[in-house]
Amino acid sequence: MQGDRDRPNSEAGLPNLAGADWLNSAGIQAVFDALERGGYSARAVGGVVRNALLGEPIHDVDIATTAEPDHVMRLVQAAGLKGIATGAAHGTITVISSHVPFEVTTLRRDVETFGRHATVAFTTEWEEDARRRDFTLNALYCDRKGQVYDPVGGYADLLARRVRFIGDPVARIREDYLRILRFFRFQATYGIGDCDGEGLAACIAERDGLTRLSGERVRSEILRLLVAVGVLPVVDVIVRSGIGEIVFGRKGDVASLSHVAEIERALERSPDAILRLAALACSTLDEANALADRLRLSNLERGQLEAAVLTDPALGPEANLARAKACRFRLSLDAFQRAYIMTWARSAAGAADEAWHVRFHELSTWKVPEVPFKGSDVVALGVPPGPNIGIILQQFQDWWIAADFPDDDAQLHHHLATVARPYIANA
C-alpha cells in the first residue's frame, strides 16, 4: 500500500517536472514506453529528480520500476533497445536508448544487511524501495508525466537544504560505512547551515567502520567532497570529529585548505581536488606517496599530488625572476601551477596579494625555451658516443639555466665547445 507521501504532486502539493528537457527526451520516453507496455510502472529516481527540483545540472538518469530484471531485459529488447545485465542479481539492467545509458533497477527491500553487500528482495511497493535508500533528498521519484512522489519527506528536506538519513542513521550507516562520507559530501554540496545533529552523531559514533572501506571507494567520495561549494565548514567538522585522521592518516590542515580555496577563487580557477587534498592532508613527498597509497590514487593523481607538495620559495615574487624561471623550466605548466599555488598558500601572503598574482601570470604565460643542443651536436664536436654526451649536455644546461636562458647563437656554441673540450679525443 502506498503511503500518503507517495501521492503524486497534484494531491500532495509537490512541484511538477513535466516541462523538463531530460524527461521529455526520446531516450527516456522510449524506456518508459517499453516497461509500460508490459504493464509495469516506472519512475525516474534519486539524483536526477533532486537536481531537477533544485535547478542543478542533470547528469545520469536512473529509473526505478516494478518490473523484475528478466522482464526488463525482455521488454527493452522487444522495443529495439539494448539491455546490459550490469547488475541483474541486484536488480539493475543498463538500457541504452538513443545512445544514452539508463540504469533501470527493480524496486527492492532489504532482507538482510551486512555492510555494502545486502541481501535484497524485489518488491512492488515504492515506499519499501524508498526506505532502503540513504538520504531523504535521494528518495524522490518522478513519473513520465512529471508527477513527483515523495514517500519519506525528502522534498521538505530539499527545500530546507537539510541532509538527513532515512530512518535510523546508525542502521543506514551500518548497511554501508561509505554513507558516512556521503553524508558529508551531500552536506557540502546541497546542505545549508549545520549538519543534521542526529546524522552527525551517528557518523562520529560509527567512524571506525571507515577502516573497512577500500581506498578506491574512499577516494571517490573525498575527491568529490573537496570540490563542493560548502567544503570548508564540512571538512572542519570532519577534522574536529576525528574522522579526518581515519581517512587521511593525519588530522588535516583546514587553514591551508581554506587558503588554497581563496587563491583559486582569486585566480578564477576551478576547484582542484588533488591540490586541495595536498593542502589538507600532506606536506612532503613521503606523506604524498603514503596518502596516494592509502586512497589508491591513479598514477596521474599521484604525480599531481607530488607536484603540489613541491613548494619552493624561489617561485614566489620575493625571488628574482631568473630563479623563478629556472624553477618553472623544470616543471610542466600543470605541475608549476599546483606548486606555485601551494607555495603561495603556505606563505604569509593573502589571496589578493598583487605581487603573487603578477608572478603567477608571468610564469604561466612564459614561453618555456627548448634546450639549444642535443646529443648529435656534441658528437659533431668530436666527442665519442657514450655516457659523456649526457654529462656534457647536463653541464651545458645547468649553465644555460643559471645564465637566464641566453639565446645568442655564438655565445651558446662557444660555451658548448668549452664544456665539451675535455672530452674530445686528442683535444
Side-chain angles (χ1 to χ4, degrees):
M1 181 175 68
Q2 295 178 346
D4 288 343
R5 287 178 177 152
D6 192 49
R7 290 180 301 175
N9 58 306
S10 57
E11 298 178 33
L14 296 168
N16 192 294
L17 297 173
D21 290 342
W22 63 269
L23 186 59
N24 291 302
S25 70
I28 192 171
Q29 289 294 322
V31 178
F32 284 137
D33 284 341
L35 296 171
E36 291 180 2
R37 284 194 197 104
Y40 298 102
S41 297
R43 298 173 185 173
V45 64
V48 62
V49 183
R50 177 197 66 227
N51 283 19
L53 291 170
L54 289 173
E56 298 281 344
I58 302 301
H59 303 294
D60 300 330
V61 177
D62 294 336
I63 297 173
T65 181
T66 54
E68 295 194 5
D70 55 340
H71 295 160
V72 172
M73 184 70 82
R74 175 174 54 81
L75 290 167
V76 299
Q77 289 177 342
L81 308 178
K82 182 177 181 180
I84 305 170
T86 47
H90 298 285
T92 300
I93 301 294
T94 298
V95 179
I96 310 298
S97 178
S98 296
H99 309 289
V100 177
F102 298 89
E103 283 204 351
V104 179
T105 302
T106 306
L107 301 186
R108 297 173 292 180
R109 60 183 174 86
D110 289 329
V111 175
E112 182 180 7
T113 59
F114 37 98
R116 185 184 181 190
H117 305 287
T119 300
V120 299
F122 301 134
T123 181
T124 57
E125 297 296 325
W126 292 93
E127 188 166 344
E128 281 190 315
D129 182 76
R131 291 198 174 279
R132 68 175 303 277
R133 296 178 181 271
D134 50 9
F135 310 116
T136 59
L137 50 71
N138 288 337
L140 293 161
Y141 301 78
C142 171
D143 67 20
R144 68 183 306 170
K145 295 180 180 179
Q147 291 186 343
V148 174
Y149 297 80
D150 180 16
V152 293
Y155 185 60
D157 287 335
L158 192 67
L159 290 180
R161 295 288 187 140
R162 179 172 53 238
V163 180
R164 187 168 59 87
F165 284 100
I166 295 171
D168 177 13
V170 171
R172 294 287 80 77
I173 289 170
R174 288 179 179 175
E175 290 164 1
D176 184 354
Y177 287 100
L178 192 69
R179 286 175 171 172
I180 293 174
L181 299 181
R182 284 175 60 81
F183 174 77
F184 291 118
R185 174 168 70 85
F186 275 82
Q187 177 66 27
T189 305
Y190 300 107
I192 290 178
D194 295 335
C195 294
D196 174 67
E198 188 179 5
L200 177 59
C203 289
I204 295 172
E206 298 296 318
R207 63 191 175 189
D208 288 343
L210 290 168
T211 60
R212 305 182 189 184
L213 300 175
S214 69
E216 292 88 348
R217 298 187 76 210
V218 173
R219 167 204 166 277
S220 178
E221 288 298 324
I222 289 299
L223 294 186
R224 295 171 76 181
L225 163 64
L226 287 173
V227 298
V229 65
V231 59
L232 293 174
V234 170
V235 168
D236 187 56
V237 171
I238 289 173
V239 169
R240 286 190 290 105
S241 67
I243 292 173
E245 197 156 356
I246 295 172
V247 173
F248 305 117
R250 58 180 291 183
K251 186 176 181 180
D253 185 347
V254 181
S256 182
L257 171 62
S258 177
H259 203 177
V260 163
E262 290 172 356
I263 293 168
E264 286 178 329
R265 287 192 294 271
L267 292 172
E268 298 183 346
R269 290 170 61 89
S270 298
D272 182 330
I274 296 296
L275 179 60
R276 291 181 173 200
L277 179 64
L280 178 65
C282 55
S283 301
T284 66
L285 276 176
D286 285 345
E287 290 174 349
N289 279 301
L291 184 60
D293 289 341
R294 190 182 194 93
L295 298 182
R296 301 293 179 89
L297 299 184
S298 69
N299 289 336
L300 174 62
E301 291 165 340
R302 180 187 292 270
Q304 292 171 339
L305 194 68
E306 290 173 350
V309 299
L310 292 176
T311 57
D312 189 339
L315 289 171
E318 293 180 359
N320 68 57
L321 184 57
R323 284 191 66 200
K325 286 162 121 180
C327 293
R328 167 70 182 91
F329 175 80
R330 294 183 170 91
L331 299 170
S332 68
L333 177 61
D334 182 74
F336 152 71
Q337 291 182 335
R338 284 191 170 89
Y340 186 96
I341 292 171
M342 189 66 73
T343 301
W344 184 353
R346 289 181 172 157
S347 74
D353 190 291
E354 184 177 358
W356 280 87
H357 278 269
V358 169
R359 178 60 57 87
F360 177 81
H361 290 295
E362 191 169 21
L363 294 178
S364 293
T365 56
W366 177 52
K367 184 174 174 54
V368 178
E370 294 184 6
V371 179
F373 301 113
K374 50 186 182 292
S376 59
D377 298 308
V378 180
V379 172
L381 293 174
V383 179
N388 288 338
I389 301 295
I391 294 172
I392 293 166
L393 286 173
Q394 188 60 59
Q395 288 179 353
F396 173 84
Q397 181 174 299
D398 290 344
W399 165 82
W400 179 64
I401 293 171
D404 197 17
F405 309 96
D407 58 4
D408 180 78
D409 193 58
Q411 180 187 15
L412 296 175
H413 278 87
H414 174 75
H415 193 81
L416 180 66
T418 300
V419 173
R421 188 170 297 116
Y423 300 92
I424 298 174
N426 303 318

